[in-house]
């Protein structure tokens, strides 16, 4: 597919920046990812009460900031005051949850690419996507990017708003949709990529997705090891999400 080649997604993508090396989904984490040599990062985007897209993985602030409660109940001016580095460094920091706009500016400056994972507020999927696309459209000539989500409604909204957007579905398991149903969905909505939990990977599944010209990515709850990475690339996986890619990058030329 033309789109897949055009984006030139590398074999390693930094997960939430590089989440084991700096606080996830912060400017610090993205700066670190580019500093150690990554070309692309993945981040999670949520929307504030006043419709500002900003970076957060969970539905609430409790795990990764000194705040509490759900993202959609706060305006971004309040969110910017939160400490998003303390959970990682175990001391007060000036690190805050950045806006998507700041992150895209950083990618532009570093000539980096980005996979934007949509973490929608329940019931507001389409409005959330609209707000995010208003921001990404400002950068489309400068920053290579594609969207992804576990939420099918968000993926469909991305394609409905503009069919030229690249979007992929993320899959933890086949409890909601069978693999055959997923293939039909990919074809129907012309999705660009398929992101799979490492737990469900097998050669047959990768082969079938490759036949559909999908960009195949793999994520894991733990940092993907060198051995796992080699196996995944060998069976045809295009890219892996890494929490700490230093070892893989160091050994990359000998793989
Ligand atoms: O997009 C891959 C990966 O980020 C999905 O899982 O929970 O880390 O957002 P999660
Ligand atoms: Mg993610």
């Amino acid at each position: 597919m033309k789109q897949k080649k055009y984006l030139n997604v590398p074999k390693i993508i930094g997960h939430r920046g590089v989440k084991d090396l700096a606080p996830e989904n912060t400017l610090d984490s993205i700066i670190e990812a580019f500093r150690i040599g990554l070309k692309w990062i993945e981040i999670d985007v949520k929307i504030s009460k006043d419709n500002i897209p900003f970076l957060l993985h969970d539905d609430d602030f409790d795990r990764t900031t000194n705040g509490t409660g759900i993202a959609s109940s706060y305006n971004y001016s309040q969110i910017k005051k939160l400490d998003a580095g303390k959970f990682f460094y175990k001391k007060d920091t000036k690190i805050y949850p950045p806006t998507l706009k700041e992150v895209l500016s950083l990618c532009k400056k570093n000539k980096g690419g980005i996979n934007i994972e949509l973490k929608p507020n329940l019931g507001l999927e389409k409005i959330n996507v609209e707000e995010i696309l208003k921001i990404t459209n400002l950068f489309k000539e400068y920053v290579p990017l594609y969207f992804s989500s576990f939420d099918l409604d968000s993926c469909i909204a991305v394609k409905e708003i503009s069919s030229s957007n690249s979007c992929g579905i993320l899959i933890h398991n086949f409890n909601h949709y069978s693999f055959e149903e997923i293939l039909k969905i990919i074809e129907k909505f012309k999705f660009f990529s398929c992101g799979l939990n490492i737990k469900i990977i097998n050669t047959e599944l990768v082969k079938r997705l490759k036949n559909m010209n999908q960009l195949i990515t793999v994520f894991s709850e733990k940092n993907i090891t060198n051995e796992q990475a080699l196996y995944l690339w060998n069976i045809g996986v295009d890219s892996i999400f890494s929490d700490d890619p230093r070892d893989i990058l160091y050994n990359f030329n000998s793989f």
Side-chain angles (χ1 to χ4, degrees):
M1 197 184 287
K2 215 169 107 200
Q3 232 177 8
K4 183 169 152 181
K5 283 196 181 128
Y6 166 73
L7 277 177
N8 208 12
V9 180
K11 290 170 100 165
I12 309 167
I13 300 172
H15 190 204
R16 309 182 202 169
V18 273
K19 75 181 265 301
D20 284 359
L21 302 180
E24 64 181 62
N25 285 318
T26 64
L27 297 177
D28 292 53
S29 192
I30 297 163
I31 289 167
E32 182 63 6
F34 292 137
R35 191 190 70 78
I36 64 173
L38 290 184
K39 304 284 180 225
W40 273 61
I41 45 121
E42 180 261 3
I43 47 95
D44 304 295
V45 174
K46 285 206 82 80
I47 309 286
S48 64
K49 190 177 171 186
D50 53 345
N51 281 331
I52 308 287
F54 71 99
L55 270 54
L56 186 74
H57 177 274
D58 301 354
D59 283 334
D60 62 54
F61 292 108
D62 300 45
R63 181 179 62 88
T64 55
T65 77
N66 61 346
T68 186
I70 61 168
S72 54
S73 20
Y74 293 93
N75 286 333
Y76 184 70
S77 59
Q78 299 168 287
I79 295 167
K80 189 163 182 177
K81 291 185 185 139
L82 297 176
D83 186 336
K86 189 173 181 175
F87 83 98
F88 188 90
Y89 292 116
K90 315 290 181 218
K91 61 176 186 189
D92 291 347
T93 75
K94 299 258 182 262
I95 301 169
Y96 59 90
T99 63
L100 177 62
K101 197 172 182 182
E102 285 176 291
V103 168
L104 288 167
S105 297
L106 187 57
C107 289
K108 181 182 172 189
K109 192 173 144 201
N110 286 275
K111 298 187 171 47
I114 186 167
N115 167 214
I116 299 173
E117 186 187 337
L118 310 164
K119 301 275 195 198
N121 297 318
L122 200 61
L124 299 171
E125 292 81 1
K126 189 150 189 201
I127 299 166
N128 286 179
V129 166
E130 282 167 2
E131 295 301 327
I132 288 166
L133 291 177
K134 277 184 205 164
I135 306 292
T136 56
N137 281 342
L138 302 172
F139 291 87
K140 65 181 175 193
E141 283 163 39
Y142 311 106
V143 179
L145 68 90
Y146 76 95
F147 303 92
S148 60
S149 191
F150 291 104
D151 178 58
L152 185 57
D153 289 340
S154 295
C155 292
I156 294 171
V158 167
K159 295 298 288 181
E160 276 178 356
I161 292 169
S162 172
S163 60
S164 67
N165 289 323
S166 298
C167 190
I169 44 174
L170 296 170
I171 302 163
H172 273 306
N173 53 51
F174 299 114
N175 296 349
H176 295 297
Y177 298 101
S178 69
F179 183 54
E180 297 305 322
E181 284 170 327
I182 298 271
L183 295 182
K184 285 194 187 121
I185 290 169
I186 287 171
E187 195 165 14
K188 179 171 177 191
F189 296 104
K190 298 193 170 28
F191 291 139
F192 154 83
S193 74
C194 194
L196 303 156
N197 191 312
I198 198 164
K199 289 179 188 161
I200 57 167
I201 277 286
N202 63 60
T203 47
E204 179 60 22
L205 190 145
V206 172
K207 207 163 95 189
R208 298 277 305 277
L209 288 168
K210 276 200 105 59
N211 285 342
M212 294 184 68
N213 220 1
Q214 291 292 288
L215 176 91
I216 307 169
T217 65
V218 171
F219 61 89
S220 171
E221 269 109 59
K222 286 190 194 147
N223 193 35
I224 293 177
T225 64
N226 285 0
E227 292 70 30
Q228 288 173 324
L230 272 180
Y231 165 74
L232 293 168
W233 291 328
N234 278 337
I235 64 168
V237 168
D238 293 292
S239 306
I240 55 160
F241 291 91
S242 178
D243 303 333
D244 175 1
R246 289 174 303 177
D247 201 32
I248 300 182
L249 285 169
Y250 183 73
N251 288 295
F252 197 74
N253 289 335
S254 58
F255 286 160

